[in-house]
Amino acid sequence: QVQLVESGGGLVQPGGSLRLSCASSMSIFSIYVLGWYRQAPGKQREPVALMTSGSTTNYVDSVKGRFTIYRDNAKNTVYLQMNSLKPEDTAVYYCNAKIPGAGTAVYDYWGQGTQVTVSS
């Protein structure tokens, strides 16, 4: 079992910045993929930014050049720096960890979610 605790959401004006944090209860060296997902009202949850254990990153097209995922191994924490925020970035943001199990099994763990609202 792993626990993921998010923080850093809030209300920000268009063009502003926020940094989300996700603290893991286990070493992030053991995690295949760390990622941030978001879910807007009436929409499906979508991946926003992913980082593999080898530090390869991937972003959804709508946030490329504005969002950055990075991690601090010493703190077992992954961050999402969000700049130039737009109203369409408004959503609940969730931290996700994919952790290897026995054989080829991979298990998904989720944080509780943090609300990001971009509005003037």
Side-chain angles (χ1 to χ4, degrees):
Q1 287 283 347
V2 60
Q3 291 184 332
L4 303 171
V5 179
E6 300 133 338
S7 61
L11 173 64
V12 63
Q13 291 186 342
S17 297
L18 281 175
R19 188 182 75 164
L20 306 183
S21 301
C22 172
S24 169
S25 63
M26 71 179 289
S27 170
I28 60 176
F29 284 112
S30 302
I31 298 176
Y32 268 160
V33 181
L34 283 163
W36 289 95
Y37 290 66
R38 67 186 178 188
Q39 188 166 19
K43 295 187 177 181
Q44 289 190 334
R45 191 174 298 188
E46 65 170 353
V48 175
L50 304 175
M51 174 179 278
T52 69
S53 57
S55 297
T56 299
T57 59
N58 196 14
Y59 299 90
V60 67
D61 285 346
S62 60
V63 308
K64 286 180 180 177
R66 300 189 297 122
F67 290 11
T68 303
I69 184 171
Y70 64 100
R71 66 190 189 194
D72 184 331
N73 294 331
K75 296 182 178 179
N76 290 322
T77 299
V78 63
Y79 301 94
L80 184 67
Q81 178 66 45
M82 305 186 293
N83 298 328
S84 302
L85 282 160
K86 304 175 180 180
E88 51 264 44
D89 294 318
T90 295
V92 178
Y93 284 71
Y94 297 90
C95 180
N96 172 266
K98 299 188 186 301
I99 297 173
T104 59
V106 177
Y107 298 100
D108 270 309
Y109 292 89
W110 294 93
Q112 80 282 3
T114 185
Q115 177 71 46
V116 172
T117 302
V118 185
S119 175
S120 54

